[in-house]
Amino acid sequence: MCDELACTFLVVGGGIAGVTCAETLAVLRTNSSDRILLITESSLVKAVTNLVPLGKLLTRFDVEERDASDLAANNIGILQDRLESIVTREHFVKTESGKQIKYRYLCLCTGARPNIIEKAHGSQHVIGIRDTESVEELQKRISTASRLVVVGNGGIASELVYEMEGMEEIHWVIKDPYISSTFVDSGAASFFQERLSNKNPSSDEEKKPIYKRMRYTEQVDDATTANKRGAALGPDWHHAFDIKKHGEHVQGSVSIHPSAEVASIEELSVDGKLPLAVHLTDASVIECDFVVSATGVVPAVGWPCDQSFKLGPDGGLFVDWHMGTSVEDVYAAGDACYAGWDRASHWFQMRLWTQARQMGAMAARSMAAKRDGEQIYQDFCFEMFNHVTTLFGYQVVLLGCYNGQGLNDKYEVLLRMTPGLEYVKFVLVEGRLQGALLVGETGLEETCENLILNQLDLSPYGEDLLDPNIDIEDYFD
């Protein structure tokens, strides 16, 4: 016999989307008898903290790892377990430990899993970076390694290469012509690469902010850890982990291998050699201690279910703007879903902690409204893509079609760059701002947000729009 539980709102996933959904439901709850239950595979969950608004939509925040039991203060029930199957027609799920949970509304926030490079073939010398557990494995490897290969060109790969110290050699393999292409253009990449080339570890250490946060750890056996998927890393994950090799200081080199991919990985057994030989598609060969695969993620879906879910082209659960899936009373949010609605011209989906938070809150609003028989509208945050992160020690703000996404190359670009200080890019179509990339403390976040939303004709200002002697933030605000 299964242990039977029942709840009004069942949320699966202890990442940003799941925790935000559960916490928002707790705020919106109008009936004290409504029970909220969160299923998490780990006893630690991700929570958004230090939320700072930078505009109408744009926010900067930290992601803190907390003990799941802390959510009980908001009357949220916690079950540390793993989803095994779903029976949607009878509104219940089964878990790995044998529990059967009846629900009225279900929200799947199961996140994504690392997309490990295909050529790894299960090698113990290739690790993926996605969650807390994988970074802890990285820390262990660093202590005995001298040469490292990092594969990938997104935020995690970029910060890993920049933050890691003590290695004799770091080889960064990217399939694109320039670094950090997930977020920036070639101009900003050159701006970042200069920072990477001129990095002074000792001076950087003095300038680095101190993050005073409570840290939690889990006491689990090896078998449990091996089968567990943790929630995604937060926006400043590298500050919470020591990813430096301690001991004698080594001023190592970073070698970038552009427009290259891993062709094969050979495990060496000859004495005196490093464990791996990584063969690239450009015919070069790199000997190293281990490989870090930071090549993106794929939605973590695919549980047995009595009804088939409609999936998006990326394999995520297809959702409408209510965050509802193709199955009645089942919602999804965060990395596990695919945004299937007619999107606003300045918004697109990217699997980031910012959108996980926004989607989790929207799913909660939709479920609460359906429970109460109320009509709601889509949150305004989906009008424009907005994201704040940190790359190579700089604040990076991405707004709208910041790289000309969806504009079919029919746009013009205005640039302003001060080496070592800031990089500002405006994307315009017929004189109207469609997107902006802001690197450094520019102070232009709210101004750009307003100009994209109100589509003011900026043609009369021409190239003077980014004249450093003109304070456009005061002029347009």
Side-chain angles (χ1 to χ4, degrees):
M1 291 291 293
C2 294
D3 295 331
E4 292 191 1
L5 299 171
C7 61
T8 311
F9 303 105
L10 177 61
V11 182
V12 182
I16 297 173
V19 173
T20 300
C21 181
E23 290 183 329
T24 305
L25 283 169
V27 172
L28 297 174
R29 178 166 37 197
T30 57
N31 191 329
S32 59
S33 64
D34 287 345
R35 186 185 179 199
I36 304 167
L37 181 62
L38 176 71
I39 299 178
T40 171
E41 292 183 20
S42 169
S43 64
L44 304 179
V45 297
K46 300 289 186 180
V48 171
T49 62
N50 302 324
L51 189 67
V52 179
L54 301 178
K56 290 185 179 70
L57 305 178
L58 190 67
T59 57
R60 182 178 63 220
F61 58 84
D62 298 327
V63 174
E64 187 175 88
E65 205 163 59
R66 289 182 174 173
D67 193 294
S69 61
D70 290 352
L71 297 177
N74 295 325
N75 292 319
I76 298 171
I78 301 297
L79 176 63
Q80 187 178 344
D81 208 335
R82 177 182 290 185
L83 178 65
E84 185 176 82
S85 62
I86 310 173
V87 182
T88 59
R89 289 185 176 89
E90 297 182 38
H91 281 59
F92 72 83
V93 304
K94 290 183 178 180
T95 69
E96 197 172 68
S97 69
K99 291 182 172 59
Q100 182 170 300
I101 306 169
K102 292 279 292 183
Y103 66 83
R104 181 65 186 90
Y105 303 100
L106 169 65
C107 188
L108 299 168
C109 305
T110 49
R113 59 180 180 273
N115 186 22
I116 304 294
I117 52 178
E118 295 179 0
K119 307 302 185 296
H121 296 303
S123 172
Q124 61 177 340
H125 299 295
V126 179
I127 63 172
I129 297 294
R130 169 65 181 170
D131 51 24
T132 300
E133 290 72 27
S134 59
V135 176
E136 289 173 349
E137 175 63 23
L138 173 66
Q139 289 176 306
K140 296 176 185 176
R141 302 284 186 124
I142 290 172
S143 62
T144 58
S146 59
R147 294 183 184 181
L148 167 69
V149 170
V150 177
V151 183
N153 207 13
I156 289 179
S158 299
E159 284 300 273
L160 182 62
V161 170
Y162 179 69
E163 293 289 336
M164 186 172 289
E165 295 175 10
M167 289 287 168
E168 293 179 10
E169 295 179 18
I170 297 177
H171 293 267
W172 190 5
V173 179
I174 59 176
K175 66 179 181 179
D176 310 290
Y178 56 87
I179 65 172
S180 307
S181 65
T182 300
F183 293 121
V184 302
D185 57 17
S186 58
S190 298
F191 179 83
F192 288 145
Q193 196 162 335
E194 183 177 346
R195 176 68 168 259
L196 183 62
S197 302
N198 299 328
K199 182 185 175 187
N200 185 329
S202 58
S203 62
D204 282 357
E205 190 67 31
E206 293 171 3
K207 296 176 183 178
K208 189 173 293 185
I210 298 173
Y211 283 73
K212 297 180 179 178
R213 302 196 192 154
M214 186 175 293
R215 295 283 298 145
Y216 295 94
T217 58
E218 286 188 287
Q219 298 297 325
V220 293
D221 57 50
D222 292 340
T224 303
T225 303
N227 294 321
K228 186 185 60 180
R229 286 190 312 105
L233 296 168
D236 58 351
W237 65 274
H238 49 87
H239 290 297
F241 296 92
D242 184 359
I243 53 173
K244 298 177 178 61
K245 182 179 179 181
H246 296 283
E248 183 179 350
H249 176 70
V250 176
Q251 183 65 46
S253 63
V254 176
S255 300
I256 299 172
H257 302 263
S259 303
E261 297 183 60
V262 175
S264 63
I265 298 175
E266 177 186 2
E267 298 207 11
L268 303 176
S269 59
V270 180
D271 291 340
K273 284 196 172 185
L274 295 168
L276 293 184
V278 180
H279 298 259
L280 304 183
T281 51
D282 63 4
S284 58
V285 180
I286 308 167
E287 291 188 3
C288 64
D289 291 289
F290 68 100
V291 175
V292 173
S293 177
T295 48
V297 296
V298 291
V301 299
W303 330 265
C305 185
D306 62 330
Q307 297 188 70
S308 297
F309 287 98
K310 181 179 180 180
L311 301 179
D314 60 4
L317 298 170
F318 190 100
V319 296
D320 58 22
W321 69 261
H322 294 92
M323 308 310 297
T325 69
S326 58
V327 177
E328 184 71 15
D329 295 331
V330 180
Y331 297 75
D335 290 356
C337 76
Y338 169 79
W341 62 85
D342 291 333
R343 306 170 189 179
S345 58
H346 296 113
W347 190 89
F348 56 91
Q349 184 178 11
M350 188 180 288
R351 285 182 166 82
L352 302 165
W353 43 88
T354 298
Q355 290 192 358
R357 173 178 170 267
Q358 294 166 345
M359 289 178 169
M362 187 69 226
R365 287 182 57 214
S366 297
M367 289 190 290
K370 190 170 184 181
R371 167 70 173 81
D372 297 334
E374 298 176 351
Q375 182 179 2
I376 62 169
Y377 299 95
Q378 188 176 39
D379 195 285
F380 191 57
C381 68
F382 294 101
E383 283 296 307
M384 182 182 70
F385 178 89
N386 56 96
H387 183 59
V388 182
T389 188
T390 301
L391 291 174
F392 302 96
Y394 295 101
Q395 175 177 279
V396 178
V397 175
L398 310 173
L399 292 169
C401 309
Y402 64 90
N403 263 346
Q405 294 92 339
L407 301 180
N408 299 318
D409 295 328
K410 297 179 180 179
Y411 59 88
E412 61 176 323
V413 170
L414 291 181
L415 289 176
R416 182 176 85 200
M417 183 183 75
T418 306
L421 184 63
E422 66 173 12
Y423 181 93
V424 178
K425 180 177 81 169
F426 283 5
V427 176
L428 301 103
V429 173
E430 297 180 350
R432 290 174 168 80
L433 190 65
Q434 307 301 315
L437 167 62
L438 310 174
V439 180
E441 300 296 331
T442 66
L444 297 174
E445 299 88 3
E446 188 171 12
T447 299
C448 291
E449 189 183 73
N450 290 335
L451 291 175
I452 294 172
L453 290 172
N454 62 33
Q455 289 295 284
L456 180 69
D457 185 3
L458 305 173
S459 300
Y461 305 99
E463 295 184 1
D464 290 338
L465 194 62
L466 285 184
D467 188 329
N469 298 314
I470 299 176
D471 293 329
I472 65 169
E473 61 269 28
D474 293 335
Y475 187 84
F476 290 110
D477 284 349

